[in-house]
Amino acid sequence: MMKPALVFDWNGTLLDDADALLQTTNTILGRFGRVAIDMQTFRDHFDVPLTVFFRNLGMSESEIETVDSHDSAIFHDTYEPLASKADLREGARCILETARQQEVSSIIVSNHIVDPLITQLRRHGIEDCVSEVLAFESRATQYKGISKGERLRLYMRAYNLNPSSTFIVGDMPVETDIARELGLISIAITGGFVSETRLRAAQPDYLIEDHHKLLPILQERGLFQNS
């Protein structure tokens, strides 16, 4: 029998690290004598890979090349210490623990790197709630090789997951695109890396502002039993 599942993006979705990423961005802009941006500007322009984001902010190709060199060391060395202090998003722990109690798999699919992500799961004490982390192996391979959507498609095929009862939760339009491609149910969450306007434009099945709002949706769709 095909199994249902919950698929989560990590950064900005489960981890509340938008401020950490904004600070990292402003540190990088400052290195090149550029003006700092605010959260709204960040959410209006954020995209991946990060080279696209920096281009959206008007950085020159030579500046972007500097940031991209040495496996994006400037970025990671600034971001990781800030992210190591970030909390989980509101209601995230509750939803992951409920999924575990109800024997529903929670999978993380991310453009981040496996080891620091697993370190974060341990720091927050939620590693037992996550069945699988699908992400890049290292800084050197980040944004190279297969996409998030392809990684998830291969995993779903290997583990016989049922697309029509698999939910993907993310804070960027890309998760809604993946849902459309793979036949999943898409839930966009505001308050992450992308503005609500951009999320709405992607036309997800649901739009929520925190993970507490996810619970009734999953109950209504029959993924969780009403407790």
Side-chain angles (χ1 to χ4, degrees):
M1 185 177 153
M2 292 187 90
K3 301 180 285 285
L6 263 175
V7 178
F8 293 96
D9 171 55
W10 174 245
N11 303 98
T13 299
L14 289 174
L15 187 68
D16 193 4
D17 60 341
D19 279 325
L21 199 56
L22 175 63
Q23 281 185 61
T24 303
T25 303
N26 282 330
T27 299
I28 289 168
L29 290 170
R31 281 184 73 136
F32 298 105
R34 291 181 173 269
V35 179
I37 60 168
D38 60 12
M39 185 60 87
Q40 188 57 54
T41 306
F42 171 84
R43 288 181 171 141
D44 285 343
H45 292 88
F46 186 75
D47 211 338
V48 291
L50 292 167
T51 48
V52 176
F53 173 47
F54 295 135
R55 208 167 280 130
N56 290 347
L57 294 177
M59 284 174 67
S60 71
E61 291 306 315
S62 66
E63 288 170 341
I64 291 167
E65 211 170 288
T66 304
V67 177
D68 212 25
S69 63
H70 309 297
D71 303 328
S72 305
I74 294 173
F75 173 83
H76 289 290
D77 294 349
T78 309
Y79 166 79
E80 291 299 344
L82 294 168
S84 72
K85 299 182 188 78
D87 289 327
L88 293 174
R89 292 284 309 262
E90 184 75 24
R93 183 183 304 279
C94 171
I95 211 84
L96 289 167
E97 287 175 351
T98 305
R100 183 179 56 179
Q101 286 155 13
Q102 306 233 2
E103 297 180 352
V104 170
S105 286
S106 292
I107 297 147
I108 289 174
V109 62
S110 174
N111 279 321
H112 200 44
I113 296 155
V114 174
D115 285 347
L117 207 163
I118 288 172
T119 300
Q120 287 271 27
L121 293 179
R122 290 194 184 120
R123 177 172 78 89
H124 289 290
I126 53 171
E127 73 271 31
D128 294 349
C129 297
V130 175
S131 315
E132 191 72 54
V133 172
L134 306 175
F136 288 104
E137 288 70 42
S138 69
R139 292 182 181 189
T141 60
Q142 195 177 24
Y143 300 117
K144 299 175 177 78
I146 65 171
S147 67
K148 275 171 81 163
E150 182 62 8
R151 212 181 282 270
L152 180 59
R153 188 185 69 75
L154 294 171
Y155 181 86
M156 289 183 69
R157 193 172 66 190
Y159 289 89
N160 206 27
L161 300 184
N162 183 2
S164 62
S165 57
T166 295
F167 297 75
I168 185 167
V169 186
D171 67 322
M172 290 183 66
V174 65
E175 284 86 31
T176 300
D177 295 341
I178 290 169
R180 216 165 267 132
E181 225 169 88
L182 302 182
L184 320 179
I185 300 146
S186 56
I187 301 169
I189 186 165
T190 61
F193 293 175
V194 164
S195 65
E196 185 173 331
T197 309
R198 290 175 66 197
L199 287 177
R200 279 189 191 281
Q203 299 184 307
D205 296 314
Y206 298 93
L207 187 72
I208 58 172
E209 61 265 23
D210 63 48
H211 291 278
H212 293 306
K213 306 289 189 300
L214 191 49
L215 200 57
I217 293 169
L218 298 177
Q219 287 168 335
E220 179 196 308
R221 299 292 296 248
L223 189 69
F224 288 175
Q225 305 309 308
N226 289 302
S227 46

